[in-house]
Amino acid sequence: MKLSQVKGNTWVIEANQLIPLYKLGDGRCVLLDTGLFEEREELEETLLSNGLTPAGVLCSHAHVDHCANNGYFQEKYGTKIALTFPEAGMCSNPLTLKCYFLTLSPERVEQEASFMVHEPDLFIPPTDVTFTLCGARFRIVHTPGHSAGHICTVTPDNVCYTADALLSKELLGAKLPYNLSQKMAIASREKLRGLNCDFYIMAHRGVCAGGEISALIDANQALIRRRAEEILALVDRPMMLSQIDERACVLHRLLTHKPRRSLRFERNVRFFVEYLVDTGKLTESCQNGATYYVPVEYEKAPL
């Protein structure tokens, strides 16, 4: 994996996603996330070949591509792991991890993600604060929405790691962007406008200068609202979630034959449907004990 400097002691490892790190100056570093399980050996080799030992992990959130190697580094190197309370709770056992995977069965979650189970050494306070880890002072910005306890981190070099609060311009064509709460994610992105950082690192995958961040936030907000409107347009009568999901997958050509992928599409469509309910564009009704989603404009239409 390539290790690239962003500014000062703030660097990124170019894995499947960008994994930032802050060099402490004595051969140690603080990682901001630890990437995928499948990349463990390559990530570890990249650190060691550059003379770096992971002294701490300031983890943005507990998703499979961001915290998969937390427990491994903790056990092997004594790395200090810091998480917010909501993310730490989710990593406490396989059943709590189901809150993230949602549509997967408990046994499948355990089979696919048991390596995510670990207990952090430190808890990040629930408010925006300056947080010291391994002697370095980081600024914590709480940005819930993508997950319940998601954070963005500003390094001592005034570089912000947005993690998954923001998509890079290369990913602005995403078909069903994942956010546990689209409404909260929109509000959290607005918080990033006022940080005045020199650079911003998006996990998937880009780095932009401070002057570019406002336009990127605008593009992210527009993407979510556009995708929501596209799904709303598919609901031309009272429909069950499964019907909306099927139409969304056909629209975006997400025609997988693998249930483990289709279940993830269903989850992501659900979050958009919930956003449309919360913003007053869909309402819920019941028929034969099943929930149907009804466009507000359909309800208002004359008989």
Side-chain angles (χ1 to χ4, degrees):
M1 295 174 177
K2 184 179 178 182
L3 181 63
S4 303
Q5 186 178 31
V6 178
K7 180 189 175 187
N9 290 321
T10 303
W11 296 65
V12 292
I13 296 173
E14 299 181 26
N16 176 69
Q17 61 288 329
L18 297 184
I19 302 175
L21 62 83
Y22 183 77
K23 292 184 177 181
L24 298 172
D26 54 0
R28 299 181 305 144
C29 68
V30 171
L31 291 168
L32 310 185
D33 292 348
T34 60
L36 289 161
F37 173 81
E38 296 81 0
E39 298 179 311
R40 176 179 295 174
E41 290 185 12
E42 196 174 356
L43 173 60
E44 186 175 23
E45 173 58 30
T46 299
L47 291 171
L48 296 178
S49 65
N50 284 277
L52 295 171
T53 301
V57 173
L58 191 47
C59 191
S60 65
H61 64 297
H63 282 182
V64 68
D65 51 344
H66 291 264
C67 78
N69 298 306
N70 285 11
Y72 173 77
F73 285 131
Q74 185 183 46
E75 182 176 345
K76 183 169 182 178
Y77 296 98
T79 306
K80 300 300 181 184
I81 309 296
L83 277 169
T84 60
F85 287 99
E87 305 300 310
M90 198 162 64
C91 287
S92 61
N93 62 62
L95 191 57
T96 54
L97 279 174
K98 183 171 164 50
C99 298
Y100 157 42
F101 291 97
L102 194 66
T103 53
L104 300 188
S105 71
E107 286 195 8
R108 180 167 289 183
V109 171
E110 185 164 12
Q111 291 166 3
E112 295 189 9
S114 58
F115 52 81
M116 291 175 64
V117 175
H118 68 291
E119 184 176 331
D121 302 281
L122 301 163
F123 291 102
I124 298 167
T127 56
D128 294 354
V129 294
T130 298
F131 186 81
T132 300
L133 182 61
C134 303
R137 293 169 63 83
F138 299 88
R139 183 157 46 125
I140 304 298
V141 182
H142 284 266
T143 47
H146 182 74
S147 67
H150 188 285
I151 60 167
C152 297
T153 300
V154 181
T155 75
D157 296 311
N158 200 34
V159 175
C160 178
Y161 174 45
T162 69
D164 283 352
L166 199 63
L167 292 174
S168 65
K169 61 182 180 180
E170 290 81 6
L171 290 180
L172 289 175
K175 295 177 179 179
L176 293 173
Y178 173 104
N179 286 297
L180 183 61
S181 167
Q182 300 289 1
K183 192 172 183 179
M184 292 181 72
I186 287 171
S188 287
R189 279 190 286 274
E190 290 300 323
K191 287 182 68 175
L192 301 179
R193 291 189 196 274
L195 295 185
N196 298 314
C197 292
D198 296 325
F199 293 95
Y200 295 80
I201 302 168
M202 281 67 67
H204 304 283
R205 303 185 12 144
V207 178
C208 75
E212 303 171 13
I213 194 65
S214 187
L216 185 58
I217 292 170
D218 289 341
N220 271 256
Q221 308 292 50
L223 170 65
I224 296 303
R225 293 185 173 112
R226 184 168 66 252
R227 294 292 185 247
E229 289 297 327
E230 290 169 353
I231 289 175
L232 178 62
L234 300 175
V235 190
D236 56 4
R237 65 180 189 276
M239 295 172 66
M240 299 174 69
L241 179 70
S242 59
Q243 296 172 303
I244 301 171
D245 172 54
E246 184 176 19
R247 285 193 173 186
C249 288
V250 170
L251 173 68
H252 291 298
R253 305 293 296 172
L254 299 171
L255 306 179
T256 183
H257 296 288
K258 298 178 180 179
R260 65 188 301 274
R261 287 181 60 81
S262 65
L263 286 167
R264 286 171 168 81
F265 299 154
E266 177 188 323
R267 174 196 63 183
N268 291 13
V269 170
R270 172 177 288 280
F271 294 154
F272 275 104
V273 169
E274 291 172 353
Y275 171 67
L276 291 166
V277 171
D278 286 347
T279 53
K281 295 185 177 181
L282 288 177
T283 60
E284 297 156 324
S285 65
C286 292
Q287 183 177 332
N288 298 323
T291 302
Y292 285 75
Y293 295 92
V294 186
V296 170
E297 294 305 313
Y298 179 93
E299 285 193 326
K300 293 179 180 178
L303 298 175

